[in-house]
């Protein structure tokens, strides 16, 4: 961990140091805000959304200060994360999968005997936290690119800026979504090999609770990434158009 942080500062310089501060702040929010409040019985989904909002604002402010590109990136990433939450909830309702089908369910039930923990929301909360990093990444990429475009070509209309943002996003969303899917596949690889070794058919394999949960996580998170692109592009285009109109008046 120390080597990673040092490398980030050495290679990233001032921005790397800010990234380290933002990373530490995010970890502290999860450990000292999210986890304790969940154990006290508060809604894990609402607390997770609050923590994501706080960390989004803090990280973007640290990296780029309070300006149009950071504000639009923050707004767009929050929209993307909320989309992931909605899709995860719908998938959960359709499939009947909850936290009770997860590996940690038995241990969490023992914890629930001592704490007023609400287990049902933990599944969605986990998806939100897992997808937050990738969503923030692509949101900042689009917002920063459109900021540079506006600086060099302020005559571009809001429609042209939106179109440019979508074109930039299309190149990035494929790799981002793939990264998230592979991350979830990597965490479940050992279990999938174990299940498959018993001669389980492909249809049975993908319909087991364990694999189905990973599929929902990957798809919901990836949809959040993909839909972050038009959110950020539209918000940025509108913000720069309003800025240009304000200067004219």
């Amino acid at each position: 961990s120390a080597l990673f942080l040092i490398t980030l500062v050495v290679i990233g310089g001032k921005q790397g140091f800010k990234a380290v501060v933002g990373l530490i702040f995010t970890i502290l929010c999860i450990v000292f805000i999210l986890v304790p409040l969940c154990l006290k019985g508060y809604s894990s989904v609402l607390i997770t959304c609050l923590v994501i909002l706080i960390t989004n604002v803090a990280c973007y402010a640290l990296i780029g200060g309070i300006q149009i590109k950071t504000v639009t990136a923050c707004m767009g990433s929050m929209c993307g994360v909320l989309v992931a939450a909605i899709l995860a909830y719908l998938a959960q309702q359709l499939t009947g999968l909850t936290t009770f089908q997860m590996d940690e369910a038995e241990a969490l039930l023992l914890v629930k005997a001592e704490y007023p923990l609400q287990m049902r929301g933990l599944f969605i909360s986990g998806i939100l936290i897992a997808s937050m990093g990738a969503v923030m990444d692509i949101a900042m990429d689009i917002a920063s690119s459109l900021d540079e475009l506006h600086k060099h070509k302020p005559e571009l209309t809001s429609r042209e800026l939106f179109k440019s943002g979508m074109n930039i996003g299309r190149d990035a969303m494929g790799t981002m979504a793939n990264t998230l899917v592979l991350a979830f596949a990597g965490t479940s690889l050992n279990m999938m090999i174990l299940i498959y070794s018993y001669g389980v058919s492909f249809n049975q394999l993908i319909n087991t609770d364990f694999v189905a949960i990973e599929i929902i996580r990957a798809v919901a998170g990836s949809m959040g990434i993909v839909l972050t692109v038009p959110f950020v592009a539209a918000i940025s285009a509108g913000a720069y158009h309003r800025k240009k109109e304000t200067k004219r008046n």
Side-chain angles (χ1 to χ4, degrees), residues 1 17 32 43 57 64 74 78 92 101 110 120 124 126-127 134 147 153 157 196 203 205 210 218 221 240 242:
S1 299
F17 176 76
F32 294 105
S43 171
V57 172
C74 183
M78 283 303 301
Q92 187 181 45
Q101 278 80 39
L110 294 176
R120 291 190 178 275
I124 296 176
I127 294 175
D147 183 66
K153 289 190 174 183
T157 64
Y196 201 79
N203 284 338
L205 177 64
F210 176 79
Y240 289 118
R242 183 173 296 179

Side-chain angles (χ1 to χ4, degrees), residues 25-208:
F25 179 77
T26 300
I27 294 172
L28 291 177
C29 284
I30 292 173
V31 174
F32 294 105
I33 297 178
L34 177 62
V35 175
L37 290 180
C38 286
L39 285 174
K40 288 182 179 180
Y42 292 95
S43 171
S44 60
V45 176
L46 293 178
I47 298 302
T48 301
C49 289
L50 177 62
V51 167
I52 288 175
L53 176 61
I54 293 171
T55 53
N56 265 7
V57 172
C59 290
Y60 284 134
L62 278 170
I63 293 171
I66 305 299
Q67 51 182 311
I68 291 179
K69 70 176 180 180
T70 53
V71 173
T72 55
C74 183
M75 293 173 65
S77 62
M78 283 303 301
C79 290
V81 168
L82 290 175
V83 166
I86 293 169
L87 291 174
Y89 174 78
L90 293 175
Q92 187 181 45
Q93 296 301 309
L94 290 172
T95 60
L97 292 172
T98 64
T99 309
F100 295 99
Q101 278 80 39
M102 298 175 69
D103 292 340
E104 304 84 2
E106 187 175 346
L108 286 172
L109 285 172
L110 294 176
V111 172
K112 189 174 174 61
E114 298 184 20
Y115 297 92
L117 177 67
Q118 295 186 29
M119 288 181 59
R120 291 190 178 275
L122 294 178
F123 177 60
I124 296 176
S125 295
I127 294 175
L128 298 183
I129 294 172
S131 61
M132 180 177 69
V135 167
M136 288 179 65
D137 190 2
I138 196 168
M140 194 62 193
D141 287 344
I142 304 301
S144 183
S145 299
L146 291 182
D147 183 66
E148 287 297 312
L149 272 175
H150 177 72
K151 285 179 180 177
H152 290 88
K153 289 190 174 183
E155 69 276 6
L156 290 175
T157 64
S158 58
R159 179 175 294 181
E160 289 171 330
L161 279 174
F162 176 77
K163 187 177 180 181
S164 296
M166 292 299 297
N167 290 334
I168 296 166
R170 289 189 184 102
D171 292 333
M173 69 173 65
T175 54
M176 281 292 155
N178 201 38
T179 299
L180 197 59
V181 171
L182 291 175
F184 285 123
T187 58
S188 59
L189 180 61
N190 294 343
M191 184 60 72
M192 285 193 292
I193 291 174
L194 181 62
I195 296 172
Y196 201 79
S197 68
Y198 291 115
V200 177
S201 67
F202 178 75
N203 284 338
Q204 286 178 305
L205 177 64
I206 64 172
N207 282 287
T208 58

Side-chain angles (χ1 to χ4, degrees), residues 229-249:
V229 173
F231 282 134
V232 177
I235 294 171
S236 296
Y240 289 118
H241 175 72
R242 183 173 296 179
K243 179 182 176 183
K244 187 164 59 176
E245 291 297 316
T246 303
K247 283 185 177 180
R248 286 179 181 175
N249 297 331

